[in-house]
Amino acid sequence: MQLRLDRHSSVPMYRQLAGELREQIVSGALAEGYRLLPERELAARLGVNRATILQAYQQLKDEGLIASRVGKGTFVLPVAAAIAQAPSMPSPTVSSASGPSPASSATSDDVRDHPRPQVVTIRDAQRRRDYAANTEPTVMRPPWSVLFSDYSNRFTYHDIAEAERAQRGGAGANDRIVDFATGSPNPADIPDDLLRAVSLEAFASRDFDGQPESPIEGFDELRELLAEHMRTRGVQCAARNVMVLSGSEQGIDLTVRAFVNLGDCVLVEQSTFFPALQAFRSADARIVGVPVDAHGMRTDLLDGYCARFRPKLIYTVPTFQNPTGTTLPASRRRELVDAARRYQCLIVEDDAYGELWYGDAGEMPGSSRSSGGSSTLVDPAGSSDDAPATNASVALRRPVPLAGMENSGYVIYLSTFSKTVTSGLRTGWLVADPHVIARLAALRRMVDQHTSTSSQRICLELLREGRIAAHVRALTVAYRARRDAAVRSLERFAPSGMSWIVPEGGYYIWVALPDGVRALDLLARCRASGVTFMPGGVFDVDETDDAHIRLNFVRPDADDIERGVQVICATAERLAAGV
């Protein structure tokens, strides 16, 4: 048994140890019944405190992976026993972070218990009346900690607060903020003229006057156009497979309501879209992070994770992932779909960035410190492979969604117009089996009835005659130039020990910081210089990643990218040097 611990990492040693052992258990490297070393012996071998071993073992016991018996020591549980031993009311994530969150503290014992009755004597009552008569009246505020529901208390509000803080910059050069943090397009990229024109056409339509309300699933014509659009992406579907949403995040929320029970397991990438984590936590799901690398989710580990945790859902952003920018290659996509079929769980495919394909990352000039991964590609004939696209075919080939590789109903696909048109157009769509569409429509009656008719009419006009396709083509040219500018700046200014993943599309570059540099410290200093980005801990399942940052290279003005990257790199270099 080999264990790798990094004494310079910001992740606590017991969490590193628990993660190493967890991966070896679920992968089968440590077989069922394998006897782990006693705490004292393992502590001596690793050169750590015995408390570190105890904490790691306790975490794995809480996850139902190991158990201890008097006279038998600590050993790996069989899969069936692990499922039976899993806690009936698990914590929102597999491993709790360093202490309760602000939200979870509101559900501590002193809040949950009923207030004890007080015994008040006549003398006490008179004393209180005398006091009240001689003091100013006070406002009795509601007892918020008791009134808020368990549902709302399960959110980790510090994630949201951290994200909001990251998006606020300080005083930069000429008071201009270089915003790599906000997960939306640059306001200058919003097609105002196009939106103005299609809005006038939509509102002038007789159909708009004659049908002010929409079916819950969306206007039939819009569903038809979206199905046709999906077929160009390699997904064979009909209008009955499509539901129009008030943003793709609504699709996550409805899916959680429809499928996730208390304690159900949801597998996600170890770093993922944090509003999705919030949705799963709200249902008190058991969230398990699957390790990732430069090519996305480690699907070679999926069989072990599915056997151990029996997930209800696998949530993934397989194409230009948020936050890492990785793209799952064809072989891993097949492994992911096959695992869902074998273990009878559903895949929720979040594809907000799939339209923004810039070409193979291997075309970018790079050094050994940058890396990218090949994508699943599709050409007009429908063939797919893992090979990089040639320059001549880049414009015609892009990643195939998981929904295009599976037609039995195991994939629920989500996408949105907010990343390609404007974040203010809160309109997205979901593609799924008709049984799922019907159930989600029934649940949606309690939420918002249907997507805004005005937004739907605008989207109708955008999809007609290829208007949005032409806009996206122009957008990808601009965004590719910004990606290339950001990568060139990293190549030029990055200090020793900094590495990154070159994305093939989407918005984000995922940067690993030099040893000893904490993301939050770096953010605090960079904000003072007018540069912002998102720290990795916001996206981490365990909320402990302080060694990565996410850069949204499409948000800043093109002229500001080099300056912003230079500030980040120079500041990281000073922190690494202890200055």
Side-chain angles (χ1 to χ4, degrees), residues 4 19 22-23 267-273 288-302 305 314-318 321-329 332 336 371 501 510 512 536 539-541 545 548:
R4 300 184 300 273
R22 183 192 302 119
E23 184 170 331
L267 295 184
V268 302
E269 286 112 346
Q270 181 64 36
S271 293
T272 192
F273 182 48
V288 178
V290 179
V292 298
D293 59 18
H295 303 280
M297 182 184 285
R298 289 278 307 280
T299 53
D300 59 310
L301 301 175
L302 260 185
Y305 274 79
I314 302 175
Y315 171 81
T316 179
V317 188
Q321 202 247 8
N322 181 8
T324 65
T326 57
T327 298
L328 211 60
R332 295 196 185 189
L336 179 52
S371 60
I501 295 172
W510 189 239
F539 310 97
D540 184 50
V541 172
D545 184 357
H548 291 88

Side-chain angles (χ1 to χ4, degrees), residues 15-95:
R15 284 193 178 280
Q16 294 185 48
L17 178 58
E20 287 281 314
L21 290 172
R22 183 192 302 119
E23 184 170 331
Q24 293 191 35
I25 291 170
V26 299
S27 67
L30 296 183
E32 299 176 1
Y34 180 90
R35 185 177 177 183
L36 300 174
L37 290 175
E39 293 93 340
R40 292 185 186 278
E41 184 176 345
L42 184 56
R45 290 195 182 189
L46 296 177
V48 298
N49 192 289
R50 180 169 174 251
T52 299
I53 311 300
L54 288 170
Q55 285 180 288
Y57 279 8
Q58 186 58 52
Q59 182 170 319
L60 296 176
K61 289 175 184 177
D62 292 342
E63 296 173 17
L65 296 177
I66 65 174
S68 296
R69 298 286 186 272
V70 177
K72 292 186 177 181
T74 303
F75 55 91
V76 176
L77 282 170
V79 174
I83 295 172
Q85 187 160 310
S88 58
M89 292 188 66
S91 60
T93 57
V94 166
S95 53

Side-chain angles (χ1 to χ4, degrees), residues 237-450:
C237 65
R240 68 194 186 105
N241 299 107
V242 178
M243 172 184 275
V244 184
L245 302 168
S246 299
S248 60
E249 286 183 41
Q250 183 181 54
I252 299 174
D253 178 71
L254 290 173
T255 300
V256 169
R257 292 170 186 255
F259 292 103
V260 179
N261 294 316
L262 173 70
D264 279 346
C265 176
V266 179
L267 295 184
V268 302
E269 286 112 346
Q270 181 64 36
S271 293
T272 192
F273 182 48
F274 80 85
L277 294 176
Q278 301 285 32
F280 300 136
R281 287 175 182 139
S282 73
D284 214 2
R286 191 181 187 198
I287 307 172
V288 178
V290 179
V292 298
D293 59 18
H295 303 280
M297 182 184 285
R298 289 278 307 280
T299 53
D300 59 310
L301 301 175
L302 260 185
D303 198 71
Y305 274 79
C306 289
R308 281 280 171 182
F309 297 107
R310 296 290 173 176
K312 178 71 74 70
L313 300 176
I314 302 175
Y315 171 81
T316 179
V317 188
T319 307
F320 320 140
Q321 202 247 8
N322 181 8
T324 65
T326 57
T327 298
L328 211 60
S331 57
R332 295 196 185 189
R333 293 180 185 235
R334 286 190 289 269
E335 289 175 345
L336 179 52
V337 170
D338 289 345
R341 287 174 177 151
R342 278 197 307 276
Y343 292 96
Q344 298 286 283
C345 60
L346 297 178
I347 297 171
V348 180
E349 178 181 14
D350 197 340
D351 191 35
Y353 307 93
E355 299 290 329
L356 300 173
W357 159 248
Y358 311 140
D360 180 53
E363 297 171 9
M364 274 296 305
S367 72
S368 60
R369 292 187 296 169
S370 64
S371 60
S374 60
S375 299
T376 305
L377 305 174
V378 63
D379 60 25
S383 63
S384 63
D385 53 55
D386 289 339
T390 63
N391 290 334
S393 63
V394 157
L396 299 175
R397 307 175 74 186
R398 52 189 174 182
V400 178
L402 295 171
M405 304 179 71
E406 194 280 327
N407 60 5
S408 301
Y410 284 95
V411 177
I412 298 173
Y413 174 93
L414 299 168
S415 194
T416 179
F417 290 107
S418 67
K419 303 302 180 184
T420 53
V421 182
T422 171
S423 53
L425 186 63
R426 302 306 303 165
T427 307
W429 68 95
L430 177 147
V431 179
D433 185 277
H435 291 88
V436 175
I437 299 294
R439 181 58 61 90
L440 297 186
L443 291 170
R444 191 175 180 180
R445 290 181 185 274
M446 300 181 292
V447 181
D448 67 350
Q449 292 291 326
H450 59 77

Side-chain angles (χ1 to χ4, degrees), residues 202-213 219 457:
F203 297 143
S205 169
R206 292 181 181 178
D207 292 339
F208 183 81
D209 295 332
Q211 193 179 18
E213 293 186 1
F219 286 126
R457 292 297 176 186

Side-chain angles (χ1 to χ4, degrees), residues 166-181 522-533 556 560 563-565 567-568 571:
Q167 294 172 37
R168 294 195 299 270
N174 303 319
D175 293 327
R176 292 177 62 186
I177 297 172
V178 184
D179 181 8
F180 291 113
L522 181 63
L523 176 60
R525 290 203 188 183
C526 288
R527 283 180 58 205
S529 301
V531 178
T532 67
F533 53 80
D560 289 335
R563 178 173 69 85
V565 170
V567 167
I568 292 171
T571 307

